[in-house]
Amino acid sequence: MSNQRFGMKRREALRLLGIGAGAGLLPSVTDAAIAALAKQPTRSPAADGIPSGAIVRTLLEDVPPASLATVLFHEHLSINLRPAQPRPAGAPPPPTQNVDMILELVKRAGREGVSCIVDGGHPDMGRDLAALKRMAAETDVHIVASGGYYMERTYPPEVASKSEQEVASDLEEEARASRYGAFGEIGQMPNLAEMTANERKVFAAVGRAHVRTGIPIFTHNAYGTGPNVRPDAGLRQLDVLESVGVNPRHVAIGHSCCLDDLKADIFRQIAKRGAFVGFDRVTTVQQIMPDATKVQMVLAILEAGLADQLLLSADFTGQRTLEDGPGYARTVTVFLPLLRQAGVKDEVLQNIMTNNARRFLAFVPRNG
Ligand SMILES: [Zn+2]
């Protein structure tokens, strides 16, 4: 960034937003310091507008939001998605089929400062709830499991035959029986201009199940680059959710970091409606949007004054870790240092990783 962009007046403004003027001159931060910082709880829930009686529903127990430190709000610890194209014969199984390996990676993420991981899978993504329970029981990391449906191509046939109300009731029942702490990731086909009729039904049903239970929602917006794709898919998702009574403050619009939104036009509109802007593919899917651009978009969000509505995670599915690459904590160990290098202050990062995530996940249980 040039000096011209960073005149004194601007520098002062950025200081107030938490972006340091000495970007690039900061001493490098050690991994241990990152982990220590990430583990340090901040602010009381009341200061964040979390109502009393609110909990975060992990697989093992309901916990006070304040007991969570660094949270990854969208990862995959168990996923066996039916591929869009048939898998070639002899292709290796998805990495998360190796539950022992993923268990070790979750332990490692805990050592690297992660206190809670939200799994973004559900039955139509091949999520194995028993595997998640094992990870919750055998590590120090809180695991939040999710429910819902992914997108038209993965829906089981009954989605088409059931009514919206039936899908909602069944999701509500499944959420209680399986201790879901979120509905997500709720997606739509990536290369269509509009949701399909069934996807609209699922979004409305998830919204109704949220209204009855309080359980928060995170989505997967249609971020594709085809000629039909509109950058405002996340806003249209909010339209459907709001039409059945969802308050957007309990919604994160996911894959926002795959949008080309350097001026934060869409991000501002998402935030203005009260929802979280979900940057859930930091360090991954670089062929769609490189991290350098994701950093620039985070800076645009901070400069727009929206730091309290940003969530960060990696949508990581365990690939490439057998070669000892960054694991599930990659948001903390790889992406946060990039933001620090760009001059974002630790207190801002901590606020995003901890306070924003607590506020997103916290809910007062309704109807038992
Ligand atoms: Zn995902």
Side-chain angles (χ1 to χ4, degrees):
M1 292 177 198
S2 69
N3 285 334
Q4 196 181 1
R5 268 195 84 198
F6 274 80
M8 276 309 287
K9 207 172 163 192
R10 180 178 173 80
R11 187 180 302 164
E12 180 62 15
L14 293 180
R15 187 186 66 74
L16 293 171
L17 291 165
I19 303 172
L25 301 173
L26 299 170
S28 62
V29 184
T30 65
D31 288 351
I34 293 169
L37 176 79
K39 276 188 168 153
Q40 182 188 329
T42 57
R43 281 204 240 172
S44 70
D48 282 320
I50 295 176
S52 70
I55 52 93
V56 172
R57 179 150 294 163
T58 76
L59 260 177
L60 297 185
E61 57 184 335
D62 289 350
V63 301
S67 67
L68 303 183
T70 292
V71 177
L72 302 174
F73 85 99
H74 180 159
E75 307 293 337
H76 293 280
L77 302 172
S78 174
I79 181 170
N80 190 0
L81 204 51
R82 189 151 38 89
Q85 308 295 332
R87 254 184 217 113
T96 64
Q97 296 303 98
N98 185 345
V99 178
D100 290 334
M101 179 189 82
I102 300 296
L103 189 65
E104 290 309 311
L105 288 175
V106 173
K107 287 180 186 168
R108 178 179 154 200
R111 292 194 297 274
E112 290 172 332
V114 171
S115 116
C116 175
I117 298 178
V118 181
D119 182 87
H122 27 69
D124 77 342
M125 300 173 82
R127 184 276 321 275
D128 175 358
L129 196 63
L132 296 188
K133 282 182 183 163
R134 204 183 135 200
M135 292 166 203
E138 296 182 24
T139 73
D140 293 333
V141 178
H142 291 293
I143 307 293
V144 172
S146 308
Y149 296 98
Y150 185 42
M151 60 176 69
E152 179 83 39
R153 77 171 173 84
T154 68
Y155 290 166
E158 62 264 27
V159 167
S161 57
K162 284 182 193 171
S163 71
E164 179 184 313
Q165 293 287 357
E166 284 170 329
V167 176
S169 299
D170 290 351
L171 277 176
E172 185 186 353
E173 194 178 312
E174 185 184 324
R176 287 187 210 291
S178 300
R179 290 196 55 79
Y180 293 156
F183 290 117
E185 60 188 291
I186 310 301
Q188 63 184 98
M189 297 291 282
N191 297 314
L192 301 180
E194 305 283 346
M195 284 184 204
T196 67
N198 283 329
E199 286 168 346
R200 182 171 294 273
K201 185 200 286 186
V202 165
F203 266 84
V206 166
R208 290 183 189 282
H210 155 82
V211 168
R212 292 182 210 154
T213 59
I215 295 172
I217 301 166
F218 59 100
T219 79
H220 158 133
N221 89 70
Y223 54 82
T225 51
N228 298 324
V229 174
R230 293 160 41 170
D232 64 350
L235 296 165
R236 303 291 75 80
Q237 293 178 342
L238 281 175
D239 290 345
V240 178
L241 294 171
E242 284 185 89
S243 75
V244 295
V246 176
N247 182 333
R249 64 183 302 199
H250 301 293
V251 178
I253 298 299
H255 300 351
S256 289
C257 49
C258 289
L259 298 174
D260 182 6
D261 194 20
L262 277 167
K263 292 185 176 161
D265 291 333
I266 298 288
F267 304 148
R268 266 181 246 261
Q269 292 179 67
I270 292 170
K272 192 175 175 192
R273 288 168 72 167
F276 288 94
V277 177
F279 268 46
D280 48 20
R281 283 177 156 182
V282 304
T283 78
T284 57
V285 203
Q286 301 246 22
Q287 71 281 13
I288 292 177
M289 195 57 71
D291 272 351
T293 309
K294 289 169 186 154
V295 167
Q296 293 302 316
M297 291 197 291
V298 168
L299 294 180
I301 287 170
L302 300 183
E303 289 175 33
L306 308 176
D308 287 344
Q309 284 171 273
L310 178 63
L311 293 171
L312 298 177
S313 203
D315 198 9
F316 187 55
T317 53
Q319 302 100 323
R320 293 183 299 276
T321 40
L322 289 172
E323 299 95 55
D324 210 23
Y328 281 97
R330 54 204 300 133
T331 300
V332 175
T333 59
V334 177
F335 196 70
L336 295 193
L338 296 179
L339 292 175
R340 279 192 194 90
Q341 278 168 24
V344 182
K345 288 182 179 172
D346 284 339
E347 65 193 75
V348 173
L349 299 178
Q350 202 173 342
N351 186 48
I352 292 166
M353 298 307 298
T354 300
N355 293 314
N356 291 2
R358 285 177 185 167
R359 216 171 342 103
F360 168 60
L361 289 176
F363 67 98
V364 180
R366 277 172 230 156
N367 304 332

